[in-house]
Amino acid sequence: MKNFSTVGARLAVATLFAASVALPATAMECKFLPNAPDQHLVVKGDTLWGISGKFLEHPWCWPQVWNMNREEISNPHWIYPGQIVYFDRSKGRLSLHKPGEGDDGLPDPGITRLSPQLRTEGLGSNAIPGIPSGVIEPFLSQPLIVEADELKDAPQIVAAQEGHIYLGKDEKAYVAGELKDNTSFQVFRPSTPLHDPATGKIVAYEAFYLGTVKLVTPAKKAGEAHAFTVTSVKQEMGVGSLLRAAPPTPLQNYAPHQPRQKIDARVMSNYGGVGAAGQNSVISINRGSLDGLDMGSVLQLYHFGKTVDDPRENKGALSFQRKTVKLPDEEFGSVFVFRVFKHVSYGLIMQVREPVQIGDVAKSPE
């Protein structure tokens, strides 16, 4: 197993502790557990979320106690199996240095401080992930969500290879529509409409992922189709299937953080169509990048408070005169946002005491 070098560790930690964390004005205070251990030996299979849960009441807010800034939060490849995470009780923070020893997390004189980007690229691939990344990997490169305004302009397969109803790998597909200089596309068909629980309106569609195609010969003039080759097939694709430009390869590691602005969202769907979802399940919510969410945002989950009759006001009242009172939303877990679209986001349920249901509330931590 490749180990984290002493020099690399010192440079990485120096960079982390020299930067101040950029947090919202309403950031939640990170509190340590009263029975937190003095240290934890990092082993293969650990996640930063799991390690933080041994020390903190809210595992997601560990970037604050590591003093990480936004750039470092975006891709935190810096803790490796074999290292020890120490709890510095006197300073209220976590550290890779034993309290009272070493450089206390500050750069040594004469050491060149590396930027987060250079540091990330140079530390290798054995760093532990922020969350159980294997759970969300299938969701990172597939479209999943198609905004309503994207459908009208999506290129479409208008003809299949002669004599074929459905297309297979390496076969030809003919496409009409504007490609916008893209050459690699994912193929999908709109599936389940996602309704905003608050308004009832359709805000997006869950896309049924079919496979990928690659441009071979672009159309030479208006009214002519583009020629494509099918590069992969997951489900049946054919005439009428829609195309969307393949997204760039996403980051495989994320650090949790509080949203940059206040979020008040509702759960729209539990992926796979189940009625209720538990820990490590994927849900969609009715807020996205235009609302201030980004990858790594953490929200608290609440059951939406019911509206009930107010017995104080309804003595002898007729049915149409009866007054009601709303019960408070009840917090019961947290969700980690890992894929963000304009109006919709996907999140991984991290901790819940009860099942998550459509219509539940997802809010900024308080």
Side-chain angles (χ1 to χ4, degrees):
M1 178 182 296
K2 182 179 178 180
N3 292 322
F4 192 34
S5 70
T6 303
V7 174
R10 292 173 66 187
L11 290 173
V13 175
T15 303
L16 290 169
F17 283 92
S20 61
V21 64
L23 296 169
T26 57
M28 174 188 286
E29 180 184 359
C30 285
K31 296 181 179 180
F32 286 91
L33 294 169
N35 60 343
D38 293 325
Q39 63 186 53
H40 171 77
L41 175 64
V42 181
V43 298
K44 187 175 181 180
D46 270 347
T47 63
L48 293 175
W49 186 291
I51 291 174
S52 300
K54 298 179 182 295
F55 296 94
L56 295 163
E57 288 185 1
H58 302 286
W60 64 264
C61 68
W62 60 262
Q64 295 182 45
V65 298
W66 284 101
N67 294 337
M68 296 179 69
N69 65 26
R70 279 283 177 182
E71 289 183 344
E72 292 158 341
I73 282 173
S74 67
N75 197 18
H77 292 288
W78 53 277
I79 294 183
Y80 288 71
Q83 291 182 288
I84 296 177
V85 175
Y86 294 97
F87 178 15
D88 189 336
R89 297 178 186 274
S90 64
K91 297 182 179 178
R93 69 183 186 185
L94 300 179
S95 173
L96 296 181
H97 295 279
K98 192 173 183 178
E101 296 183 1
D103 59 10
D104 198 31
L106 298 176
D108 284 341
I111 290 182
T112 302
R113 181 170 181 253
L114 300 181
S115 70
Q117 183 62 33
L118 290 174
R119 174 181 55 76
T120 297
E121 291 179 350
L123 292 184
S125 60
N126 292 324
I128 64 172
I131 62 170
S133 55
V135 178
I136 65 172
E137 282 175 358
F139 297 88
L140 295 177
S141 61
Q142 299 177 10
L144 295 182
I145 293 294
V146 180
E147 309 281 355
D149 58 358
E150 291 180 273
L151 296 176
K152 57 182 175 59
D153 297 324
Q156 183 173 338
I157 296 177
V158 295
Q161 188 164 324
E162 187 174 353
H164 292 220
I165 298 176
Y166 297 110
L167 291 161
K169 190 176 184 302
D170 298 327
E171 293 185 350
K172 290 182 180 180
Y174 300 94
V175 174
E178 177 58 50
L179 305 183
K180 299 180 180 179
D181 297 324
N182 295 300
T183 59
S184 296
F185 288 81
Q186 295 173 322
V187 185
F188 69 95
R189 66 170 179 267
S191 183
T192 307
L194 295 177
H195 295 267
D196 189 320
T199 65
K201 295 181 179 179
I202 296 176
V203 294
Y205 295 84
E206 282 192 324
F208 198 78
Y209 179 73
L210 306 179
T212 57
V213 295
K214 186 174 182 179
L215 178 66
V216 176
T217 307
K220 294 182 173 60
K221 56 185 178 181
E224 186 174 291
H226 312 279
F228 278 78
T229 295
V230 178
T231 51
S232 69
V233 178
K234 184 176 180 182
Q235 299 289 337
E236 293 177 344
M237 71 171 73
V239 175
S241 299
L242 302 177
L243 272 62
R244 177 174 172 170
T249 302
L251 295 173
Q252 296 297 312
N253 204 3
Y254 307 95
H257 56 273
Q258 190 163 347
R260 301 184 184 189
Q261 60 193 64
K262 188 174 181 180
I263 300 294
D264 190 351
R266 301 285 291 278
V267 176
M268 290 195 300
S269 71
N270 299 323
Y271 192 78
V274 296
Q279 189 162 321
N280 286 341
S281 295
V282 172
I283 59 175
S284 67
I285 61 175
N286 65 338
R287 295 292 184 268
S289 59
L290 297 183
D291 304 294
L293 283 177
D294 60 354
M295 290 184 293
S297 293
V298 174
L299 303 174
Q300 289 179 309
L301 292 168
Y302 296 78
H303 288 314
F304 188 72
K306 297 180 180 179
T307 300
V308 299
D309 282 348
D310 188 342
R312 304 168 305 164
E313 306 288 342
N314 294 331
K315 293 179 181 179
L318 299 176
S319 60
F320 65 89
Q321 296 175 324
R322 299 184 72 82
K323 295 183 179 180
T324 60
V325 61
K326 183 183 179 300
L327 302 182
D329 298 338
E330 297 288 342
E331 189 271 332
F332 69 102
S334 59
V335 60
F336 181 95
V337 175
F338 66 86
R339 187 102 192 264
V340 180
F341 302 85
K342 289 189 294 184
H343 301 288
V344 178
S345 297
Y346 273 94
L348 179 68
I349 299 171
M350 297 301 297
Q351 295 166 303
V352 284
R353 295 183 294 276
E354 301 172 15
V356 180
Q357 300 178 346
I358 294 173
D360 280 341
V361 176
K363 295 181 182 179
S364 299
E366 297 177 353

PDB file of all heavy atoms in Angstrom, residues 225-248:
ATOM      1  N   ALA A 225     -29.192  14.966 -41.635  1.00  0.00           N
ATOM      2  CA  ALA A 225     -28.957  14.339 -40.335  1.00  0.00           C
ATOM      3  C   ALA A 225     -27.463  14.121 -40.086  1.00  0.00           C
ATOM      4  O   ALA A 225     -26.672  13.990 -41.026  1.00  0.00           O
ATOM      5  CB  ALA A 225     -29.693  13.006 -40.247  1.00  0.00           C
ATOM      6  N   HIS A 226     -27.102  14.091 -38.804  1.00  0.00           N
ATOM      7  CA  HIS A 226     -25.739  13.744 -38.394  1.00  0.00           C
ATOM      8  C   HIS A 226     -25.636  12.224 -38.277  1.00  0.00           C
ATOM      9  O   HIS A 226     -26.596  11.549 -37.891  1.00  0.00           O
ATOM     10  CB  HIS A 226     -25.414  14.345 -37.031  1.00  0.00           C
ATOM     11  CG  HIS A 226     -25.762  15.796 -36.896  1.00  0.00           C
ATOM     12  ND1 HIS A 226     -24.966  16.811 -37.365  1.00  0.00           N
ATOM     13  CD2 HIS A 226     -26.855  16.394 -36.325  1.00  0.00           C
ATOM     14  CE1 HIS A 226     -25.527  17.975 -37.077  1.00  0.00           C
ATOM     15  NE2 HIS A 226     -26.677  17.748 -36.451  1.00  0.00           N
ATOM     16  N   ALA A 227     -24.468  11.677 -38.604  1.00  0.00           N
ATOM     17  CA  ALA A 227     -24.238  10.238 -38.457  1.00  0.00           C
ATOM     18  C   ALA A 227     -23.466   9.963 -37.166  1.00  0.00           C
ATOM     19  O   ALA A 227     -22.434  10.589 -36.897  1.00  0.00           O
ATOM     20  CB  ALA A 227     -23.466   9.691 -39.649  1.00  0.00           C
ATOM     21  N   PHE A 228     -23.981   9.017 -36.368  1.00  0.00           N
ATOM     22  CA  PHE A 228     -23.370   8.656 -35.096  1.00  0.00           C
ATOM     23  C   PHE A 228     -23.086   7.161 -35.051  1.00  0.00           C
ATOM     24  O   PHE A 228     -23.686   6.372 -35.786  1.00  0.00           O
ATOM     25  CB  PHE A 228     -24.305   9.002 -33.933  1.00  0.00           C
ATOM     26  CG  PHE A 228     -24.259  10.438 -33.500  1.00  0.00           C
ATOM     27  CD1 PHE A 228     -24.915  11.418 -34.241  1.00  0.00           C
ATOM     28  CD2 PHE A 228     -23.576  10.821 -32.361  1.00  0.00           C
ATOM     29  CE1 PHE A 228     -24.889  12.742 -33.838  1.00  0.00           C
ATOM     30  CE2 PHE A 228     -23.544  12.139 -31.946  1.00  0.00           C
ATOM     31  CZ  PHE A 228     -24.203  13.110 -32.683  1.00  0.00           C
ATOM     32  N   THR A 229     -22.183   6.790 -34.147  1.00  0.00           N
ATOM     33  CA  THR A 229     -21.944   5.383 -33.820  1.00  0.00           C
ATOM     34  C   THR A 229     -22.317   5.154 -32.363  1.00  0.00           C
ATOM     35  O   THR A 229     -21.978   5.970 -31.491  1.00  0.00           O
ATOM     36  CB  THR A 229     -20.467   5.004 -34.037  1.00  0.00           C
ATOM     37  OG1 THR A 229     -20.138   5.106 -35.413  1.00  0.00           O
ATOM     38  CG2 THR A 229     -20.208   3.572 -33.575  1.00  0.00           C
ATOM     39  N   VAL A 230     -22.994   4.054 -32.093  1.00  0.00           N
ATOM     40  CA  VAL A 230     -23.367   3.704 -30.733  1.00  0.00           C
ATOM     41  C   VAL A 230     -22.135   3.149 -30.024  1.00  0.00           C
ATOM     42  O   VAL A 230     -21.532   2.166 -30.479  1.00  0.00           O
ATOM     43  CB  VAL A 230     -24.508   2.668 -30.719  1.00  0.00           C
ATOM     44  CG1 VAL A 230     -24.844   2.269 -29.282  1.00  0.00           C
ATOM     45  CG2 VAL A 230     -25.739   3.218 -31.437  1.00  0.00           C
ATOM     46  N   THR A 231     -21.744   3.760 -28.918  1.00  0.00           N
ATOM     47  CA  THR A 231     -20.547   3.319 -28.195  1.00  0.00           C
ATOM     48  C   THR A 231     -20.869   2.447 -26.984  1.00  0.00           C
ATOM     49  O   THR A 231     -20.017   1.680 -26.522  1.00  0.00           O
ATOM     50  CB  THR A 231     -19.718   4.534 -27.742  1.00  0.00           C
ATOM     51  OG1 THR A 231     -20.571   5.463 -27.058  1.00  0.00           O
ATOM     52  CG2 THR A 231     -19.102   5.228 -28.948  1.00  0.00           C
ATOM     53  N   SER A 232     -22.074   2.553 -26.442  1.00  0.00           N
ATOM     54  CA  SER A 232     -22.490   1.673 -25.351  1.00  0.00           C
ATOM     55  C   SER A 232     -24.003   1.639 -25.285  1.00  0.00           C
ATOM     56  O   SER A 232     -24.672   2.601 -25.660  1.00  0.00           O
ATOM     57  CB  SER A 232     -21.912   2.141 -24.008  1.00  0.00           C
ATOM     58  OG  SER A 232     -22.505   3.357 -23.598  1.00  0.00           O
ATOM     59  N   VAL A 233     -24.529   0.509 -24.816  1.00  0.00           N
ATOM     60  CA  VAL A 233     -25.980   0.348 -24.699  1.00  0.00           C
ATOM     61  C   VAL A 233     -26.306  -0.230 -23.331  1.00  0.00           C
ATOM     62  O   VAL A 233     -25.775  -1.273 -22.949  1.00  0.00           O
ATOM     63  CB  VAL A 233     -26.544  -0.577 -25.796  1.00  0.00           C
ATOM     64  CG1 VAL A 233     -28.044  -0.756 -25.615  1.00  0.00           C
ATOM     65  CG2 VAL A 233     -26.244  -0.028 -27.185  1.00  0.00           C
ATOM     66  N   LYS A 234     -27.175   0.460 -22.609  1.00  0.00           N
ATOM     67  CA  LYS A 234     -27.632  -0.035 -21.322  1.00  0.00           C
ATOM     68  C   LYS A 234     -29.070  -0.534 -21.425  1.00  0.00           C
ATOM     69  O   LYS A 234     -29.436  -1.545 -20.839  1.00  0.00           O
ATOM     70  CB  LYS A 234     -27.529   1.056 -20.261  1.00  0.00           C
ATOM     71  CG  LYS A 234     -27.907   0.579 -18.866  1.00  0.00           C
ATOM     72  CD  LYS A 234     -27.707   1.664 -17.827  1.00  0.00           C
ATOM     73  CE  LYS A 234     -28.090   1.160 -16.444  1.00  0.00           C
ATOM     74  NZ  LYS A 234     -27.941   2.224 -15.408  1.00  0.00           N
ATOM     75  N   GLN A 235     -29.904   0.196 -22.144  1.00  0.00           N
ATOM     76  CA  GLN A 235     -31.294  -0.174 -22.392  1.00  0.00           C
ATOM     77  C   GLN A 235     -31.595   0.069 -23.861  1.00  0.00           C
ATOM     78  O   GLN A 235     -30.795   0.657 -24.585  1.00  0.00           O
ATOM     79  CB  GLN A 235     -32.241   0.654 -21.508  1.00  0.00           C
ATOM     80  CG  GLN A 235     -32.037   0.478 -20.018  1.00  0.00           C
ATOM     81  CD  GLN A 235     -32.484  -0.879 -19.516  1.00  0.00           C
ATOM     82  OE1 GLN A 235     -33.308  -1.540 -20.138  1.00  0.00           O
ATOM     83  NE2 GLN A 235     -31.931  -1.311 -18.386  1.00  0.00           N
ATOM     84  N   GLU A 236     -32.749  -0.366 -24.310  1.00  0.00           N
ATOM     85  CA  GLU A 236     -33.104  -0.249 -25.723  1.00  0.00           C
ATOM     86  C   GLU A 236     -33.164   1.212 -26.159  1.00  0.00           C
ATOM     87  O   GLU A 236     -33.861   2.021 -25.562  1.00  0.00           O
ATOM     88  CB  GLU A 236     -34.447  -0.929 -25.984  1.00  0.00           C
ATOM     89  CG  GLU A 236     -34.421  -2.436 -25.797  1.00  0.00           C
ATOM     90  CD  GLU A 236     -35.789  -3.061 -25.984  1.00  0.00           C
ATOM     91  OE1 GLU A 236     -36.786  -2.311 -25.955  1.00  0.00           O
ATOM     92  OE2 GLU A 236     -35.865  -4.291 -26.150  1.00  0.00           O
ATOM     93  N   MET A 237     -32.425   1.542 -27.225  1.00  0.00           N
ATOM     94  CA  MET A 237     -32.492   2.878 -27.822  1.00  0.00           C
ATOM     95  C   MET A 237     -32.857   2.739 -29.290  1.00  0.00           C
ATOM     96  O   MET A 237     -32.528   1.740 -29.936  1.00  0.00           O
ATOM     97  CB  MET A 237     -31.164   3.627 -27.653  1.00  0.00           C
ATOM     98  CG  MET A 237     -30.019   3.100 -28.505  1.00  0.00           C
ATOM     99  SD  MET A 237     -28.544   4.170 -28.466  1.00  0.00           S
ATOM    100  CE  MET A 237     -27.891   3.850 -26.839  1.00  0.00           C
ATOM    101  N   GLY A 238     -33.547   3.731 -29.797  1.00  0.00           N
ATOM    102  CA  GLY A 238     -33.977   3.689 -31.189  1.00  0.00           C
ATOM    103  C   GLY A 238     -34.541   5.030 -31.617  1.00  0.00           C
ATOM    104  O   GLY A 238     -34.254   6.068 -30.996  1.00  0.00           O
ATOM    105  N   VAL A 239     -35.325   5.036 -32.672  1.00  0.00           N
ATOM    106  CA  VAL A 239     -35.911   6.277 -33.180  1.00  0.00           C
ATOM    107  C   VAL A 239     -36.747   6.921 -32.083  1.00  0.00           C
ATOM    108  O   VAL A 239     -37.544   6.275 -31.412  1.00  0.00           O
ATOM    109  CB  VAL A 239     -36.777   5.985 -34.416  1.00  0.00           C
ATOM    110  CG1 VAL A 239     -37.499   7.258 -34.872  1.00  0.00           C
ATOM    111  CG2 VAL A 239     -35.923   5.432 -35.542  1.00  0.00           C
ATOM    112  N   GLY A 240     -36.531   8.224 -31.901  1.00  0.00           N
ATOM    113  CA  GLY A 240     -37.246   8.961 -30.864  1.00  0.00           C
ATOM    114  C   GLY A 240     -36.436   9.179 -29.606  1.00  0.00           C
ATOM    115  O   GLY A 240     -36.776  10.054 -28.796  1.00  0.00           O
ATOM    116  N   SER A 241     -35.367   8.411 -29.409  1.00  0.00           N
ATOM    117  CA  SER A 241     -34.514   8.617 -28.238  1.00  0.00           C
ATOM    118  C   SER A 241     -33.812   9.969 -28.344  1.00  0.00           C
ATOM    119  O   SER A 241     -33.445  10.415 -29.435  1.00  0.00           O
ATOM    120  CB  SER A 241     -33.482   7.502 -28.125  1.00  0.00           C
ATOM    121  OG  SER A 241     -34.112   6.245 -27.965  1.00  0.00           O
ATOM    122  N   LEU A 242     -33.621  10.620 -27.210  1.00  0.00           N
ATOM    123  CA  LEU A 242     -33.040  11.960 -27.175  1.00  0.00           C
ATOM    124  C   LEU A 242     -31.577  11.915 -26.763  1.00  0.00           C
ATOM    125  O   LEU A 242     -31.132  10.975 -26.094  1.00  0.00           O
ATOM    126  CB  LEU A 242     -33.822  12.841 -26.199  1.00  0.00           C
ATOM    127  CG  LEU A 242     -35.319  12.991 -26.490  1.00  0.00           C
ATOM    128  CD1 LEU A 242     -35.999  13.828 -25.412  1.00  0.00           C
ATOM    129  CD2 LEU A 242     -35.551  13.604 -27.854  1.00  0.00           C
ATOM    130  N   LEU A 243     -30.840  12.954 -27.146  1.00  0.00           N
ATOM    131  CA  LEU A 243     -29.416  13.041 -26.840  1.00  0.00           C
ATOM    132  C   LEU A 243     -29.135  14.229 -25.925  1.00  0.00           C
ATOM    133  O   LEU A 243     -29.803  15.260 -26.003  1.00  0.00           O
ATOM    134  CB  LEU A 243     -28.595  13.205 -28.124  1.00  0.00           C
ATOM    135  CG  LEU A 243     -28.145  11.927 -28.852  1.00  0.00           C
ATOM    136  CD1 LEU A 243     -29.352  11.125 -29.323  1.00  0.00           C
ATOM    137  CD2 LEU A 243     -27.265  12.294 -30.046  1.00  0.00           C
ATOM    138  N   ARG A 244     -28.131  14.027 -25.095  1.00  0.00           N
ATOM    139  CA  ARG A 244     -27.641  15.109 -24.251  1.00  0.00           C
ATOM    140  C   ARG A 244     -26.133  15.001 -24.184  1.00  0.00           C
ATOM    141  O   ARG A 244     -25.591  13.904 -24.045  1.00  0.00           O
ATOM    142  CB  ARG A 244     -28.246  14.990 -22.854  1.00  0.00           C
ATOM    143  CG  ARG A 244     -27.733  16.044 -21.886  1.00  0.00           C
ATOM    144  CD  ARG A 244     -28.485  15.955 -20.584  1.00  0.00           C
ATOM    145  NE  ARG A 244     -27.886  16.837 -19.582  1.00  0.00           N
ATOM    146  CZ  ARG A 244     -28.434  17.117 -18.422  1.00  0.00           C
ATOM    147  NH1 ARG A 244     -29.592  16.594 -18.101  1.00  0.00           N
ATOM    148  NH2 ARG A 244     -27.838  17.905 -17.571  1.00  0.00           N
ATOM    149  N   ALA A 245     -25.444  16.144 -24.295  1.00  0.00           N
ATOM    150  CA  ALA A 245     -23.984  16.130 -24.270  1.00  0.00           C
ATOM    151  C   ALA A 245     -23.484  15.464 -22.999  1.00  0.00           C
ATOM    152  O   ALA A 245     -23.998  15.717 -21.905  1.00  0.00           O
ATOM    153  CB  ALA A 245     -23.446  17.552 -24.374  1.00  0.00           C
ATOM    154  N   ALA A 246     -22.493  14.578 -23.137  1.00  0.00           N
ATOM    155  CA  ALA A 246     -21.950  13.870 -21.984  1.00  0.00           C
ATOM    156  C   ALA A 246     -21.277  14.870 -21.053  1.00  0.00           C
ATOM    157  O   ALA A 246     -20.508  15.731 -21.496  1.00  0.00           O
ATOM    158  CB  ALA A 246     -20.951  12.814 -22.437  1.00  0.00           C
ATOM    159  N   PRO A 247     -21.543  14.778 -19.740  1.00  0.00           N
ATOM    160  CA  PRO A 247     -20.918  15.711 -18.795  1.00  0.00           C
ATOM    161  C   PRO A 247     -19.450  15.373 -18.609  1.00  0.00           C
ATOM    162  O   PRO A 247     -19.014  14.258 -18.892  1.00  0.00           O
ATOM    163  CB  PRO A 247     -21.707  15.470 -17.501  1.00  0.00           C
ATOM    164  CG  PRO A 247     -22.142  14.039 -17.596  1.00  0.00           C
ATOM    165  CD  PRO A 247     -22.401  13.796 -19.064  1.00  0.00           C
ATOM    166  N   PRO A 248     -18.638  16.332 -18.106  1.00  0.00           N
ATOM    167  CA  PRO A 248     -17.237  16.027 -17.811  1.00  0.00           C
ATOM    168  C   PRO A 248     -17.152  15.029 -16.668  1.00  0.00           C
ATOM    169  O   PRO A 248     -18.078  14.874 -15.882  1.00  0.00           O
ATOM    170  CB  PRO A 248     -16.665  17.394 -17.398  1.00  0.00           C
ATOM    171  CG  PRO A 248     -17.854  18.165 -16.927  1.00  0.00           C
ATOM    172  CD  PRO A 248     -19.008  17.710 -17.780  1.00  0.00           C
TER     173      PRO A 248
END
